[in-house]
Amino acid sequence: MRVRNKPWAKDYVAEHTERLVEEPEPLKGNWQSRFPKEQPLYVEIGTGKGQFIVEMAKAHPDRNFIGIEIQFSVIAAALKKVVASELTNIQLVHTDGEAVNTFFAAGEITGLYLNFSDPWPKSRHAKRRLTSPVFLAHYADVLQPKGEIQFKTDNRGLFEYSLGSLNNFGLVFDGVWLDLHAATDGVEDIQTEYEQKFSAKGPIYQVIAHFPVDDSSDK
């Protein structure tokens, strides 16, 4: 998808470096220093224009949030939302989320959100999907024991692939929803901009799963 350049974006980002990081590697293992209070850290890969991460931060003031986005103009729009919110428990990162293990330390993250990721529908591109084994191995590196992944999509093929991938990697399913917006079990459903725009065209699928804890060392 082509993203239009925003002439104001570069200057706006430069004015708000306290909210947005462009070189994340030096902060590996020290992300809590970007927040006024040390709290469990939750990360969204592909934060888009920031609606989800801002609303999550409002709903959970006892957590710290980081939104990662590769498109500069898009993360600049998210930055506007973050600044306007005046919330102190959100940081943004302008980078590619593919290699999270290069800028987060082992066990640094409590939970991870993957919302409406690129489905990469061709089989030869399967390894690029954010729920492929390659990426799951990276998430396992940086998530705490029993670290949680929440994955949402409107793409049935990607959802079915992801269920198989997570299962084969050994994750434990905490919940699977084939039509999230019709759910009556009280699941939290904070929506992204994309979700609000396209949910009328079909169901939203969601899975929440966590990595198991290896207790073998205690035996």
Side-chain angles (χ1 to χ4, degrees):
M1 180 180 69
R2 185 179 178 184
V3 179
R4 275 186 281 179
N5 181 50
K6 294 180 172 62
W8 53 266
K10 185 175 181 180
D11 288 343
Y12 191 79
V13 167
E15 292 168 3
H16 295 284
T17 55
E18 81 286 355
R19 292 289 200 162
L20 190 147
V21 173
E22 295 199 82
E23 295 183 6
E25 288 80 7
L27 283 162
K28 184 175 183 178
N30 195 35
W31 281 99
Q32 295 289 351
S33 67
R34 296 285 299 184
F35 300 92
K37 185 189 302 184
E38 186 167 331
Q39 302 182 129
L41 185 62
Y42 289 76
V43 174
E44 182 186 19
I45 297 179
T47 204
K49 295 180 181 178
Q51 179 169 294
F52 176 84
I53 204 81
V54 167
E55 293 302 317
M56 286 295 291
K58 286 180 184 176
H60 300 283
D62 57 339
R63 302 177 184 178
N64 290 333
F65 293 89
I66 292 176
I68 298 173
E69 175 59 50
I70 184 61
Q71 297 284 354
F72 185 76
S73 294
V74 176
I75 203 166
L79 179 59
K80 275 195 168 183
K81 283 191 176 73
V82 170
V83 171
S85 76
E86 299 184 349
L87 296 167
T88 60
N89 60 332
I90 315 175
Q91 288 284 311
L92 298 175
V93 181
H94 174 227
T95 193
D96 193 333
E98 288 191 0
V100 291
N101 58 338
T102 67
F103 50 88
F104 288 108
E108 194 168 12
I109 300 174
T110 300
L112 184 68
Y113 302 105
L114 307 173
N115 292 322
F116 303 95
S117 310
D118 191 327
W120 292 103
K122 295 182 180 180
S123 297
R124 68 176 183 270
H125 294 151
K127 65 182 180 180
R128 299 185 182 182
R129 298 168 189 163
L130 293 187
T131 50
S132 73
V134 173
F135 289 103
L136 293 178
H138 293 169
Y139 308 152
D141 286 343
V142 299
L143 281 162
Q144 294 178 358
K146 291 190 177 181
E148 181 181 277
I149 294 176
Q150 176 179 299
F151 172 75
K152 269 200 292 191
T153 184
D154 61 341
N155 186 293
R156 179 76 182 221
L158 178 60
F159 186 67
E160 291 175 351
Y161 167 85
S162 300
L163 289 178
S165 183
L166 269 62
N167 179 69
N168 293 339
F169 205 86
L171 275 82
V172 179
F173 293 130
D174 301 305
V176 176
W177 293 265
L178 300 180
D179 190 347
L180 179 61
H181 294 177
T184 58
D185 55 359
V187 61
E188 183 176 53
D189 183 25
I190 291 177
Q191 298 183 23
T192 71
E193 293 92 345
Y194 178 94
E195 187 174 356
Q196 288 183 333
K197 185 176 181 180
F198 290 99
S199 61
K201 297 184 178 182
I204 301 300
Y205 309 102
Q206 177 172 278
V207 57
I208 298 177
H210 67 268
F211 288 95
V213 175
D214 183 5
D215 296 323
S216 60
S217 59
D218 298 330
K219 295 179 181 180

